[in-house]
Amino acid sequence: MCSSDLNCVPCGYPLLFGYLSIMRPKTDVLVIGGGNAALCAALVAAEAGATVRILEASPKAWRGGNSSHTRNVRCMHDAPQDVLVDAYPEEEYWQDLLKVTGGQTNEHLARLVIRASATFRTWMQKHGVRFQPSLSGALHTARTNAFFMGGGKALVNAYYLSAERLGIHIDYNARVSEIHLENGRFQAARVIHSGVSGDSQEEWVQAKTCVLACGGFESNLEWLREAWGQNALGEWPAENFLIRGSRYNQGELLKFLMGQGADIIGDPTQAHMVAIDARAPLYDGGICTRLDSVSLGVVVNQNAERFYDEGEDFWPKRYAIWGRLIAQQPQQIGYSIIDSKAIGRFMPPVFEAIVADTLPELAAKLELNVEKFMQTLNTFNASCVPGDFNHTVLDNCHTQGIEPAKTHWARTIDVAPFYAYPLRPGVTFTYLGLKTDETTAVHFAGVPSPNLFAAGEIMAGNVLGKGYTAGVGMTIGTFFGRQAGAHAAVAAGKVGDIS
């Protein structure tokens, strides 16, 4: 006989865990996901007095999603601030975001994110996160980005340790395949628990409220292939994409909620996508596979042709366009070409360069048309206008009389030896997601759910319609994660701080 006093699974649901499912007390706040946004939500909800349970799809060793691969968070500040130099005021931050997104952003939400970034590091430090100054060669970020001591893995570990101290229950290898809704209200989540021996069990988990912070669909290769389709050459571009982060971000709940009529925002082909070394692994290559040599030389495609201005703006503001640019080239590959003058001016990559004593020899090693390659390089070298080279400012070294131009840091490529790095599109996270507002509530036909919230990559498209600037993903995840946790705690009947 069903009794709500027992907090049993909803009538008619599979009861594979027997009494374990029946007798488990109903959680106040269920958090689906295990990265930065999920942990921020869980910690804030627990601080408000809520009981919290985290469902992380990955094994413990791979916990943290894409957050494990991060290095920093972009922060507004009006004066020097411990590890941040000078000032980075709200309006400059907003203009940077406006430029990289091409206006495809929600100004109200974006400014909330920006303002919160001025103060939330104090809360992060309370939970064990430590910061350090920007490293030399790290994308001109000493003024704008606070770096995590020990990187994203240290941040994730600190948050998990704090979660354990607060009594938050954590399930690993816990994939959520669907959720049960009634008129937009969350009731329960269907969880598949995977064992180390390959066996699995299912459980329906009830909770008073739920926060979805389980990432985008970037790891779902079939969905990427469908979204990108075929190009004019008959190629399927997504077949040559590499995934910089977690293999567990399959977008399963995003697709499920799309089928349930949740309001959606974003273009499925838009993503934080950078140029990474073509020799990187399919998943979890992380930040060390990124190439930062682009602005110091030229980039050519498989036809040995340049196709975009390599010196358009500071690298932190433009590095995230290069994955998409490479995706639009034949065979989805490019080559960063530099000479010896560039060595030591960018963060050393994890893979060694392809090196040659002459440019024709380099082209041959890359299996490019040598004649066309030399035509491209000779034309570029002849177009370079001498100036005062300074990679820390928008200098006056530019090209003249060629298309595409190189507007800054244009120097002849003529000092041997010569270096090349093969480039592929590296997808970090996708922007198609759940439409929300400052409460982080998931909306259905314009109506906010009273107890279902979203944070992190699954809703980042509300702020990022396209483009990216370094560290803003962690800023979005931290702000909306904390918002979701606070609102979920209130919806669960707890007293929280939503200031």
Side-chain angles (χ1 to χ4, degrees):
M1 182 175 180
C2 182
S3 168
S4 59
D5 292 336
L6 292 177
N7 292 315
C8 68
V9 291
C11 296
Y13 288 178
L15 193 56
L16 299 184
F17 272 29
Y19 286 103
L20 178 61
S21 287
I22 294 176
M23 299 308 293
R24 186 189 294 273
K26 182 186 287 188
T27 299
D28 289 328
V29 179
L30 180 67
V31 178
I32 301 174
N36 174 59
L39 291 163
C40 288
L43 291 170
V44 166
E47 288 174 329
T51 57
V52 181
R53 183 178 178 186
I54 293 174
L55 301 175
E56 164 65 296
S58 77
K60 185 175 181 178
W62 290 97
R63 69 185 182 183
N66 291 341
S67 303
S68 296
H69 293 296
T70 62
R71 290 194 300 177
N72 57 69
V73 59
R74 180 167 286 252
C75 297
M76 164 194 159
H77 55 107
D78 293 322
Q81 217 183 59
D82 57 12
V83 299
L84 296 168
V85 302
D86 302 329
Y88 187 47
E90 177 183 338
E91 194 57 33
E92 183 182 357
Y93 197 146
W94 162 244
Q95 290 299 326
D96 285 344
L97 188 60
L98 189 65
K99 181 175 181 179
V100 298
T101 61
Q104 294 185 36
T105 183
N106 180 312
E107 182 174 358
H108 172 64
L109 295 181
R111 286 189 181 272
L112 289 176
V113 170
I114 291 168
R115 291 167 192 155
S117 72
T119 58
F120 61 39
R121 284 198 301 122
T122 301
W123 177 88
M124 297 170 71
Q125 288 171 321
K126 183 179 76 171
H127 289 287
V129 179
R130 297 294 178 261
F131 295 92
Q132 66 182 41
S134 173
L135 300 175
S136 175
L139 304 183
H140 312 96
T141 48
R143 187 171 65 91
T144 58
N145 292 57
F147 279 65
F148 312 130
M149 187 174 290
K153 192 69 174 177
L155 173 140
V156 165
N157 288 342
Y159 279 162
Y160 271 105
L161 181 60
S162 193
E164 291 167 2
R165 288 172 176 165
L166 286 169
I168 294 172
H169 182 86
I170 303 165
D171 289 271
Y172 297 106
N173 297 298
R175 181 173 65 87
V176 179
S177 58
E178 62 179 291
I179 60 178
H180 179 62
L181 301 167
E182 290 185 5
N183 299 319
R185 176 180 284 276
F186 173 82
Q187 300 293 327
R190 180 172 178 259
V191 189
I192 301 173
H193 298 270
S194 300
V196 292
S197 60
D199 60 316
S200 63
Q201 292 179 299
E202 294 185 9
E203 177 189 10
W204 280 95
V205 178
Q206 284 186 299
K208 296 177 183 178
T209 62
C210 179
V211 176
L212 303 173
C214 43
F217 71 89
E218 61 274 3
S219 306
N220 189 324
L221 303 181
E222 290 184 8
W223 196 346
L224 286 175
R225 188 176 190 271
E226 175 188 336
W228 279 79
Q230 284 184 282
N231 62 19
L233 299 175
E235 301 168 337
W236 294 86
E239 292 183 347
N240 284 318
F241 292 177
L242 301 172
I243 315 305
R244 299 176 72 205
S246 172
R247 71 186 64 215
Y248 297 97
N249 287 3
Q250 296 288 325
E252 199 166 7
L253 283 184
L254 174 60
K255 180 159 283 190
F256 176 82
L257 284 165
M258 291 171 69
Q260 296 294 308
D263 295 345
I264 302 299
I265 193 168
D267 178 344
T269 70
Q270 290 292 348
H272 177 13
M273 184 185 295
V274 308
I276 67 174
D277 198 295
R279 297 163 290 185
L282 177 58
Y283 293 109
D284 278 304
I287 201 164
C288 66
T289 61
R290 191 182 72 201
L291 268 302
D292 292 342
S293 57
V294 167
S295 61
L296 292 162
V298 297
V299 177
V300 300
N301 60 18
Q302 191 66 24
N303 298 329
E305 299 171 332
R306 291 178 61 242
F307 51 89
Y308 199 80
D309 180 355
E310 300 92 346
E312 184 178 35
D313 203 343
F314 288 121
W315 191 232
K317 301 177 184 179
R318 303 313 283 159
Y319 79 99
I321 70 171
W322 279 89
R324 191 174 185 84
L325 289 170
I326 299 293
Q328 295 167 344
Q329 301 308 306
Q331 299 178 42
Q332 297 72 57
I333 195 163
Y335 303 91
S336 173
I337 311 296
I338 58 174
D339 69 2
S340 294
K341 298 192 297 291
I343 297 301
R345 295 185 178 274
F346 60 97
M347 193 68 73
V350 68
F351 295 99
E352 292 186 0
I354 298 164
V355 187
D357 291 328
T358 68
L359 286 170
E361 181 187 352
L362 187 64
K365 285 188 174 183
L366 299 177
E367 299 183 359
L368 298 177
N369 183 295
V370 175
E371 182 179 352
K372 180 62 180 177
F373 181 85
M374 290 309 302
Q375 179 184 340
T376 297
L377 268 293
N378 289 335
T379 300
F380 173 81
N381 285 344
S383 73
C384 289
V385 177
D388 299 316
F389 177 82
N390 187 342
H391 200 220
T392 66
V393 300
L394 297 174
D395 70 8
N396 61 353
C397 294
H398 63 279
T399 59
Q400 185 173 332
I402 62 168
E403 288 294 334
K406 184 174 183 182
T407 49
H408 303 287
W409 314 302
R411 294 197 292 178
T412 54
I413 300 174
D414 55 7
V415 179
F418 302 96
Y419 303 82
Y421 296 95
L423 308 173
R424 287 278 189 203
V427 186
T428 312
F429 64 92
T430 46
Y431 293 169
L432 180 73
L434 299 170
K435 190 171 185 179
T436 187
D437 55 25
E438 63 268 26
T439 70
T440 75
V442 177
H443 285 59
F444 296 86
V447 179
S449 169
N451 71 340
L452 182 63
F453 306 93
E457 294 173 4
I458 199 170
M459 51 67 60
N462 289 271
V463 177
L464 295 170
K466 70 173 185 179
Y468 192 77
T469 187
V472 76
M474 290 296 283
T475 313
I476 292 169
T478 302
F479 171 73
F480 282 105
R482 295 178 71 209
Q483 286 287 100
H487 283 277
V490 170
K494 305 298 176 180
V495 177
D497 179 10
I498 316 180
S499 60

